[in-house]
Amino acid sequence: MAVAARDKKLRLFDTRSGECVQQGDSHQGIKGSRVTWLTGDRLATTGFTRSSYRQLFLWNAQDLSKPLATYDLDMSAGMLMPFYDPSTRMLYVGGKGDGNIRYYEFADDQLHELSMYSSSEPQRGLGVMPKRGVDVAHCEIMRFFKVASNSLVEPISFRVPRKSEAFQQDIYPPAFAGVPAMTAQEFFAGKNAEPRLVDMEQLFRDGPLVVGAAAGSAPATVAAPVPAPAAVSAPAPVKAPSPEPVSVPAKTPSPAPPPAKTPSPEPAAAARSATPPPSTPRSTVSDIELTTLRETNQQLQHQLEQATQATATAQSAAHSASSQLLASKHSVVQLQDQLTKTQLDVDSLRSELAEALAKVEAEQGEATRARDEAVRAEQMVAEYREKLQKAEESLQKMENDRESIREELAQAISAANALASAAEKAADAM
Protein backbone atom coordinates (compact mmCIF):
# COMPACT_ATOMS: atom_id res chain seq x y z
CA MET A 1 0.00 0.00 0.00
CA ALA A 2 1.44 3.37 -1.06
CA VAL A 3 0.72 6.42 1.13
CA ALA A 4 1.51 10.11 0.50
CA ALA A 5 1.66 11.53 4.03
CA ARG A 6 1.31 15.07 5.35
CA ASP A 7 4.91 15.10 6.56
CA LYS A 8 6.05 15.25 2.88
CA LYS A 9 7.02 11.55 2.89
CA LEU A 10 6.10 8.74 0.51
CA ARG A 11 5.73 5.40 2.31
CA LEU A 12 5.02 1.78 1.36
CA PHE A 13 3.29 -0.49 3.88
CA ASP A 14 2.95 -4.26 4.02
CA THR A 15 -0.81 -4.69 4.17
CA ARG A 16 -0.54 -7.98 6.05
CA SER A 17 1.87 -6.92 8.80
CA GLY A 18 1.22 -3.17 8.77
CA GLU A 19 4.96 -2.40 8.75
CA CYS A 20 6.54 0.39 6.69
CA VAL A 21 8.91 -1.26 4.20
CA GLN A 22 10.00 1.81 2.20
CA GLN A 23 9.92 5.59 2.62
CA GLY A 24 11.43 8.67 1.01
CA ASP A 25 11.12 12.44 0.67
CA SER A 26 8.31 13.43 -1.69
CA HIS A 27 6.89 16.81 -2.77
CA GLN A 28 8.04 19.63 -0.48
CA GLY A 29 4.95 21.85 -0.80
CA ILE A 30 2.59 22.39 2.11
CA LYS A 31 -0.50 21.43 0.07
CA GLY A 32 -1.90 17.94 -0.44
CA SER A 33 -0.20 15.17 -2.40
CA ARG A 34 -1.66 12.11 -4.16
CA VAL A 35 -0.19 8.75 -5.24
CA THR A 36 -1.29 5.96 -7.59
CA TRP A 37 0.22 2.66 -8.74
CA LEU A 38 1.33 2.28 -12.35
CA THR A 39 2.30 -0.90 -14.19
CA GLY A 40 4.62 -3.18 -12.24
CA ASP A 41 6.48 -1.63 -9.31
CA ARG A 42 6.21 1.95 -10.55
CA LEU A 43 4.40 4.76 -8.76
CA ALA A 44 3.23 8.24 -9.75
CA THR A 45 2.70 11.10 -7.29
CA THR A 46 1.31 14.61 -7.69
CA GLY A 47 2.06 17.54 -5.42
CA PHE A 48 3.56 21.02 -5.08
CA THR A 49 6.89 22.75 -4.66
CA ARG A 50 7.58 25.24 -1.88
CA SER A 51 6.54 28.03 -4.28
CA SER A 52 3.15 26.31 -5.06
CA TYR A 53 4.32 24.98 -8.44
CA ARG A 54 2.46 21.76 -9.38
CA GLN A 55 4.62 18.68 -10.00
CA LEU A 56 4.37 15.07 -11.17
CA PHE A 57 6.92 12.47 -9.93
CA LEU A 58 7.64 8.96 -11.23
CA TRP A 59 9.00 6.46 -8.64
CA ASN A 60 10.51 3.01 -8.37
CA ALA A 61 8.80 1.22 -5.47
CA GLN A 62 12.03 -0.65 -4.71
CA ASP A 63 13.96 2.60 -4.08
CA LEU A 64 12.20 5.70 -2.76
CA SER A 65 15.39 7.67 -2.09
CA LYS A 66 14.72 9.85 -5.15
CA PRO A 67 12.18 9.88 -8.03
CA LEU A 68 12.98 8.36 -11.42
CA ALA A 69 11.64 11.43 -13.23
CA THR A 70 10.28 14.85 -12.30
CA TYR A 71 7.77 16.84 -14.36
CA ASP A 72 6.90 20.49 -13.62
CA LEU A 73 3.36 21.26 -14.80
CA ASP A 74 2.14 24.77 -13.99
CA MET A 75 1.51 27.31 -11.26
CA SER A 76 -1.94 26.78 -9.73
CA ALA A 77 -3.58 26.28 -6.35
CA GLY A 78 -5.75 23.29 -7.32
CA MET A 79 -4.72 19.84 -6.10
CA LEU A 80 -3.93 17.27 -8.82
CA MET A 81 -5.81 13.94 -8.95
CA PRO A 82 -4.06 11.04 -10.80
CA PHE A 83 -5.92 8.11 -12.44
CA TYR A 84 -4.12 5.23 -14.21
CA ASP A 85 -5.53 2.91 -16.89
CA PRO A 86 -3.36 -0.25 -17.09
CA SER A 87 -5.06 -1.44 -20.29
CA THR A 88 -3.71 1.47 -22.34
CA ARG A 89 -0.86 2.40 -19.92
CA MET A 90 -2.20 5.94 -19.77
CA LEU A 91 -2.08 8.27 -16.76
CA TYR A 92 -4.79 10.93 -16.46
CA VAL A 93 -4.16 13.95 -14.22
CA GLY A 94 -7.05 16.29 -13.40
CA GLY A 95 -6.77 19.49 -11.39
CA LYS A 96 -9.26 20.34 -8.67
CA GLY A 97 -10.67 23.80 -9.31
CA ASP A 98 -9.78 23.95 -13.02
CA GLY A 99 -11.33 22.32 -16.10
CA ASN A 100 -8.25 20.53 -17.48
CA ILE A 101 -7.41 16.83 -17.65
CA ARG A 102 -3.91 16.01 -18.90
CA TYR A 103 -3.13 12.51 -20.09
CA TYR A 104 0.24 10.78 -20.53
CA GLU A 105 1.49 7.48 -21.91
CA PHE A 106 3.72 5.46 -19.56
CA ALA A 107 6.53 3.73 -21.48
CA ASP A 108 10.23 3.02 -20.82
CA ASP A 109 10.07 4.54 -17.33
CA GLN A 110 8.95 7.85 -18.79
CA LEU A 111 5.64 9.73 -18.97
CA HIS A 112 5.05 11.07 -22.47
CA GLU A 113 2.45 13.83 -22.60
CA LEU A 114 -0.19 13.15 -25.26
CA SER A 115 -2.70 15.97 -25.03
CA MET A 116 -5.03 17.79 -22.66
CA TYR A 117 -8.80 18.01 -22.30
CA SER A 118 -9.88 21.57 -21.53
CA SER A 119 -13.19 22.93 -20.28
CA SER A 120 -14.32 26.32 -19.00
CA GLU A 121 -16.33 24.64 -16.23
CA PRO A 122 -14.15 23.94 -13.15
CA GLN A 123 -14.32 20.53 -11.51
CA ARG A 124 -14.78 19.94 -7.80
CA GLY A 125 -14.00 16.24 -8.05
CA LEU A 126 -13.47 13.36 -10.51
CA GLY A 127 -14.38 9.67 -10.61
CA VAL A 128 -13.85 6.99 -13.26
CA MET A 129 -15.97 4.20 -14.70
CA PRO A 130 -14.39 0.73 -14.32
CA LYS A 131 -13.00 -0.64 -17.55
CA ARG A 132 -15.70 -3.29 -17.75
CA GLY A 133 -18.33 -0.54 -18.04
CA VAL A 134 -16.96 1.47 -20.97
CA ASP A 135 -18.58 1.46 -24.42
CA VAL A 136 -16.35 -1.03 -26.25
CA ALA A 137 -18.38 -0.82 -29.47
CA HIS A 138 -17.50 2.88 -29.85
CA CYS A 139 -13.82 2.56 -28.78
CA GLU A 140 -14.31 4.31 -25.43
CA ILE A 141 -11.17 3.80 -23.32
CA MET A 142 -12.00 5.99 -20.30
CA ARG A 143 -15.08 7.67 -18.86
CA PHE A 144 -14.80 10.31 -16.16
CA PHE A 145 -17.60 11.57 -13.96
CA LYS A 146 -16.98 15.23 -13.20
CA VAL A 147 -18.59 17.00 -10.25
CA ALA A 148 -19.19 20.52 -11.60
CA SER A 149 -19.49 23.74 -9.62
CA ASN A 150 -23.29 23.56 -9.81
CA SER A 151 -23.22 20.15 -8.02
CA LEU A 152 -24.18 18.31 -11.22
CA VAL A 153 -22.31 15.20 -12.43
CA GLU A 154 -21.08 15.45 -16.01
CA PRO A 155 -19.73 12.40 -17.90
CA ILE A 156 -16.56 12.93 -19.98
CA SER A 157 -15.78 10.21 -22.52
CA PHE A 158 -12.34 9.55 -24.04
CA ARG A 159 -12.54 7.63 -27.33
CA VAL A 160 -9.96 6.34 -29.81
CA PRO A 161 -10.95 7.20 -33.41
CA ARG A 162 -11.11 3.97 -35.40
CA LYS A 163 -12.79 3.46 -38.77
CA SER A 164 -13.21 -0.26 -38.35
CA GLU A 165 -16.29 -1.46 -36.46
CA ALA A 166 -14.56 -4.70 -35.41
CA PHE A 167 -13.28 -5.40 -31.90
CA GLN A 168 -10.01 -3.52 -31.19
CA GLN A 169 -7.80 -6.05 -29.41
CA ASP A 170 -4.84 -3.66 -29.00
CA ILE A 171 -6.70 -1.25 -26.71
CA TYR A 172 -8.92 -3.78 -24.91
CA PRO A 173 -6.87 -6.49 -23.16
CA PRO A 174 -8.62 -8.49 -20.41
CA ALA A 175 -9.71 -6.16 -17.59
CA PHE A 176 -10.49 -6.56 -13.91
CA ALA A 177 -13.87 -8.25 -13.48
CA GLY A 178 -14.82 -6.57 -10.20
CA VAL A 179 -14.97 -9.80 -8.19
CA PRO A 180 -12.40 -10.88 -5.54
CA ALA A 181 -9.94 -13.66 -6.27
CA MET A 182 -9.87 -14.78 -2.60
CA THR A 183 -11.49 -14.13 0.73
CA ALA A 184 -10.10 -11.84 3.44
CA GLN A 185 -9.24 -14.85 5.60
CA GLU A 186 -7.22 -16.38 2.76
CA PHE A 187 -5.41 -13.09 2.17
CA PHE A 188 -4.35 -12.63 5.79
CA ALA A 189 -3.39 -16.31 5.88
CA GLY A 190 -0.68 -15.49 3.29
CA LYS A 191 -2.32 -16.71 0.09
CA ASN A 192 -1.58 -14.86 -3.17
CA ALA A 193 -3.70 -14.92 -6.31
CA GLU A 194 -3.92 -13.11 -9.60
CA PRO A 195 -6.97 -10.85 -10.11
CA ARG A 196 -9.96 -12.27 -11.94
CA LEU A 197 -10.28 -10.82 -15.41
CA VAL A 198 -13.04 -10.42 -17.94
CA ASP A 199 -12.66 -10.79 -21.72
CA MET A 200 -13.46 -7.41 -23.28
CA GLU A 201 -14.32 -9.02 -26.62
CA GLN A 202 -17.25 -10.80 -24.99
CA LEU A 203 -18.39 -7.43 -23.62
CA PHE A 204 -18.10 -6.10 -27.18
CA ARG A 205 -20.58 -8.77 -28.28
CA ASP A 206 -22.92 -8.84 -25.27
CA GLY A 207 -22.67 -5.36 -23.70
CA PRO A 208 -21.12 -3.98 -20.50
CA LEU A 209 -20.63 -6.19 -17.45
CA VAL A 210 -22.63 -5.84 -14.22
CA VAL A 211 -21.14 -7.74 -11.28
CA GLY A 212 -23.15 -9.06 -8.36
CA ALA A 213 -22.24 -8.73 -4.70
CA ALA A 214 -20.93 -12.29 -4.18
CA ALA A 215 -17.52 -13.52 -5.28
CA GLY A 216 -18.82 -16.71 -6.83
CA SER A 217 -21.90 -15.31 -8.55
CA ALA A 218 -21.86 -15.22 -12.32
CA PRO A 219 -21.81 -11.75 -13.85
CA ALA A 220 -24.86 -10.61 -15.75
CA THR A 221 -25.06 -8.56 -18.92
CA VAL A 222 -27.31 -5.70 -19.92
CA ALA A 223 -27.96 -4.09 -23.26
CA ALA A 224 -27.72 -0.50 -22.04
CA PRO A 225 -24.35 1.20 -22.61
CA VAL A 226 -24.23 2.50 -19.02
CA PRO A 227 -23.90 -0.30 -16.42
CA ALA A 228 -26.08 -0.44 -13.33
CA PRO A 229 -25.82 -2.78 -10.34
CA ALA A 230 -27.78 -5.97 -10.83
CA ALA A 231 -30.28 -6.86 -8.12
CA VAL A 232 -29.23 -10.40 -7.30
CA SER A 233 -29.32 -12.35 -4.08
CA ALA A 234 -26.04 -13.32 -2.44
CA PRO A 235 -25.46 -17.12 -2.63
CA ALA A 236 -23.69 -19.20 -0.03
CA PRO A 237 -19.89 -18.71 0.19
CA VAL A 238 -17.95 -20.91 -2.15
CA LYS A 239 -14.30 -21.63 -2.66
CA ALA A 240 -12.46 -18.89 -4.54
CA PRO A 241 -11.90 -19.91 -8.20
CA SER A 242 -8.53 -19.95 -9.90
CA PRO A 243 -7.38 -16.68 -11.49
CA GLU A 244 -8.89 -17.17 -14.93
CA PRO A 245 -10.78 -14.67 -17.06
CA VAL A 246 -14.38 -14.34 -16.02
CA SER A 247 -16.63 -15.53 -18.82
CA VAL A 248 -19.72 -13.48 -19.50
CA PRO A 249 -22.67 -15.72 -20.37
CA ALA A 250 -23.78 -15.36 -23.94
CA LYS A 251 -27.36 -14.53 -24.70
CA THR A 252 -29.20 -17.69 -25.67
CA PRO A 253 -32.18 -16.27 -27.55
CA SER A 254 -31.16 -14.78 -30.84
CA PRO A 255 -32.78 -11.44 -31.55
CA ALA A 256 -35.54 -11.37 -34.09
CA PRO A 257 -34.49 -9.86 -37.41
CA PRO A 258 -35.64 -6.26 -37.78
CA PRO A 259 -38.51 -5.70 -40.19
CA ALA A 260 -37.41 -4.77 -43.66
CA LYS A 261 -37.67 -1.04 -44.29
CA THR A 262 -39.75 -0.08 -47.28
CA PRO A 263 -37.65 2.33 -49.37
CA SER A 264 -39.20 5.76 -49.47
CA PRO A 265 -40.01 6.91 -53.00
CA GLU A 266 -38.40 9.88 -54.66
CA PRO A 267 -40.24 13.20 -54.28
CA ALA A 268 -41.63 13.19 -57.83
CA ALA A 269 -42.59 9.52 -57.69
CA ALA A 270 -44.24 10.01 -54.32
CA ALA A 271 -46.20 12.91 -55.66
CA ARG A 272 -47.23 10.90 -58.69
CA SER A 273 -48.28 7.94 -56.56
CA ALA A 274 -50.32 10.24 -54.34
CA THR A 275 -52.09 11.76 -57.32
CA PRO A 276 -55.16 9.74 -58.34
CA PRO A 277 -55.30 8.48 -61.92
CA PRO A 278 -56.92 11.15 -64.02
CA SER A 279 -60.15 10.48 -65.78
CA THR A 280 -60.68 11.20 -69.44
CA PRO A 281 -62.62 14.49 -68.97
CA ARG A 282 -59.82 15.90 -66.72
CA SER A 283 -56.84 15.05 -68.93
CA THR A 284 -55.88 18.74 -69.27
CA VAL A 285 -55.85 19.26 -65.52
CA SER A 286 -53.69 16.17 -65.06
CA ASP A 287 -51.14 17.52 -67.56
CA ILE A 288 -51.01 20.78 -65.67
CA GLU A 289 -50.51 18.96 -62.36
CA LEU A 290 -47.81 16.81 -63.91
CA THR A 291 -46.02 19.90 -65.18
CA THR A 292 -46.29 21.50 -61.74
CA LEU A 293 -44.92 18.41 -60.10
CA ARG A 294 -42.00 18.33 -62.53
CA GLU A 295 -41.22 21.97 -61.77
CA THR A 296 -41.51 21.23 -58.06
CA ASN A 297 -39.18 18.27 -58.48
CA GLN A 298 -36.66 20.46 -60.29
CA GLN A 299 -36.87 23.05 -57.54
CA LEU A 300 -36.38 20.39 -54.92
CA GLN A 301 -33.38 18.99 -56.80
CA HIS A 302 -31.96 22.51 -57.07
CA GLN A 303 -32.52 23.05 -53.36
CA LEU A 304 -30.89 19.68 -52.66
CA GLU A 305 -27.84 20.71 -54.70
CA GLN A 306 -27.70 24.00 -52.81
CA ALA A 307 -28.01 22.17 -49.51
CA THR A 308 -25.26 19.76 -50.60
CA GLN A 309 -23.02 22.68 -51.51
CA ALA A 310 -23.85 24.40 -48.21
CA THR A 311 -23.06 21.17 -46.36
CA ALA A 312 -19.73 20.86 -48.17
CA THR A 313 -18.96 24.51 -47.35
CA ALA A 314 -19.93 23.96 -43.72
CA GLN A 315 -17.77 20.84 -43.56
CA SER A 316 -14.86 22.75 -45.08
CA ALA A 317 -15.43 25.57 -42.56
CA ALA A 318 -15.63 23.03 -39.75
CA HIS A 319 -12.40 21.41 -40.95
CA SER A 320 -10.76 24.83 -41.12
CA ALA A 321 -12.09 25.66 -37.67
CA SER A 322 -10.78 22.33 -36.36
CA SER A 323 -7.38 23.09 -37.88
CA GLN A 324 -7.44 26.54 -36.32
CA LEU A 325 -8.50 25.00 -33.01
CA LEU A 326 -5.63 22.52 -33.16
CA ALA A 327 -3.25 25.34 -34.04
CA SER A 328 -4.66 27.38 -31.15
CA LYS A 329 -4.24 24.43 -28.80
CA HIS A 330 -0.69 24.00 -30.04
CA SER A 331 -0.07 27.70 -29.48
CA VAL A 332 -1.59 27.43 -26.01
CA VAL A 333 0.69 24.49 -25.23
CA GLN A 334 3.68 26.46 -26.50
CA LEU A 335 2.62 29.48 -24.45
CA GLN A 336 2.22 27.24 -21.41
CA ASP A 337 5.71 25.84 -22.01
CA GLN A 338 7.06 29.37 -22.35
CA LEU A 339 5.18 30.36 -19.22
CA THR A 340 6.66 27.37 -17.44
CA LYS A 341 10.17 28.31 -18.55
CA THR A 342 9.54 31.93 -17.61
CA GLN A 343 8.25 30.86 -14.21
CA LEU A 344 11.34 28.71 -13.72
CA ASP A 345 13.52 31.67 -14.68
CA VAL A 346 11.56 33.87 -12.28
CA ASP A 347 12.03 31.31 -9.51
CA SER A 348 15.76 31.17 -10.29
CA LEU A 349 15.98 34.98 -10.27
CA ARG A 350 14.06 35.06 -7.00
CA SER A 351 16.53 32.61 -5.50
CA GLU A 352 19.48 34.66 -6.76
CA LEU A 353 17.84 37.85 -5.47
CA ALA A 354 17.27 36.23 -2.08
CA GLU A 355 20.92 35.15 -1.97
CA ALA A 356 22.06 38.64 -2.97
CA LEU A 357 19.83 40.21 -0.32
CA ALA A 358 21.23 37.80 2.25
CA LYS A 359 24.77 38.76 1.22
CA VAL A 360 23.89 42.49 1.39
CA GLU A 361 22.34 42.00 4.81
CA ALA A 362 25.45 40.12 5.94
CA GLU A 363 27.70 42.88 4.57
CA GLN A 364 25.50 45.52 6.21
CA GLY A 365 25.80 43.64 9.48
CA GLU A 366 29.58 43.53 9.14
CA ALA A 367 29.67 47.26 8.29
CA THR A 368 27.49 48.02 11.33
CA ARG A 369 29.80 45.97 13.53
CA ALA A 370 32.82 47.79 12.05
CA ARG A 371 31.18 51.17 12.70
CA ASP A 372 30.41 50.12 16.27
CA GLU A 373 34.00 49.00 16.76
CA ALA A 374 35.26 52.32 15.29
CA VAL A 375 33.00 54.27 17.66
CA ARG A 376 34.26 52.21 20.58
CA ALA A 377 37.86 52.81 19.44
CA GLU A 378 37.26 56.57 19.23
CA GLN A 379 35.74 56.50 22.70
CA MET A 380 38.77 54.61 24.01
CA VAL A 381 41.12 57.13 22.32
CA ALA A 382 39.20 59.98 23.95
CA GLU A 383 39.43 58.24 27.30
CA TYR A 384 43.17 57.65 26.82
CA ARG A 385 43.67 61.30 25.85
CA GLU A 386 41.75 62.43 28.93
CA LYS A 387 43.83 60.12 31.12
CA LEU A 388 47.03 61.37 29.45
CA GLN A 389 45.99 64.97 30.05
CA LYS A 390 45.29 64.20 33.70
CA ALA A 391 48.65 62.45 33.96
CA GLU A 392 50.39 65.50 32.44
CA GLU A 393 48.54 67.77 34.87
CA SER A 394 49.58 65.51 37.75
CA LEU A 395 53.17 65.53 36.52
CA GLN A 396 53.15 69.33 36.24
CA LYS A 397 51.70 69.55 39.71
CA MET A 398 54.39 67.22 40.98
CA GLU A 399 57.06 69.42 39.30
CA ASN A 400 55.55 72.49 40.92
CA ASP A 401 55.46 70.69 44.26
CA ARG A 402 59.10 69.67 43.84
CA GLU A 403 60.15 73.31 43.21
CA SER A 404 58.23 74.37 46.28
CA ILE A 405 59.91 71.64 48.28
CA ARG A 406 63.30 72.75 46.97
CA GLU A 407 62.62 76.35 47.95
CA GLU A 408 61.42 75.29 51.38
CA LEU A 409 64.49 73.06 51.71
CA ALA A 410 66.75 75.96 50.75
CA GLN A 411 65.02 78.17 53.24
CA ALA A 412 65.37 75.48 55.91
CA ILE A 413 69.08 75.10 55.09
CA SER A 414 69.53 78.88 55.30
CA ALA A 415 67.71 78.94 58.61
CA ALA A 416 69.86 76.07 59.86
CA ASN A 417 73.02 77.87 58.78
CA ALA A 418 71.83 80.98 60.50
CA LEU A 419 71.16 79.07 63.65
CA ALA A 420 74.56 77.42 63.44
CA SER A 421 76.25 80.79 63.08
CA ALA A 422 74.31 82.12 65.99
CA ALA A 423 75.28 79.11 68.03
CA GLU A 424 78.93 79.54 67.20
CA LYS A 425 78.76 83.21 68.13
CA ALA A 426 77.08 82.30 71.37
CA ALA A 427 79.76 79.72 72.06
CA ASP A 428 82.49 82.22 71.37
CA ALA A 429 80.85 84.73 73.64
CA MET A 430 80.77 82.33 76.44
Side-chain angles (χ1 to χ4, degrees), residues 399-414:
E399 289 290 336
N400 294 335
D401 293 341
R402 186 172 62 179
E403 291 296 330
S404 300
I405 292 171
R406 284 179 180 178
E407 291 177 357
E408 291 177 357
L409 181 61
Q411 292 176 1
I413 291 172
S414 297

Side-chain angles (χ1 to χ4, degrees), residues 409-428:
L409 181 61
Q411 292 176 1
I413 291 172
S414 297
N417 291 331
L419 289 174
S421 296
E424 288 178 357
K425 287 180 181 181
D428 292 336

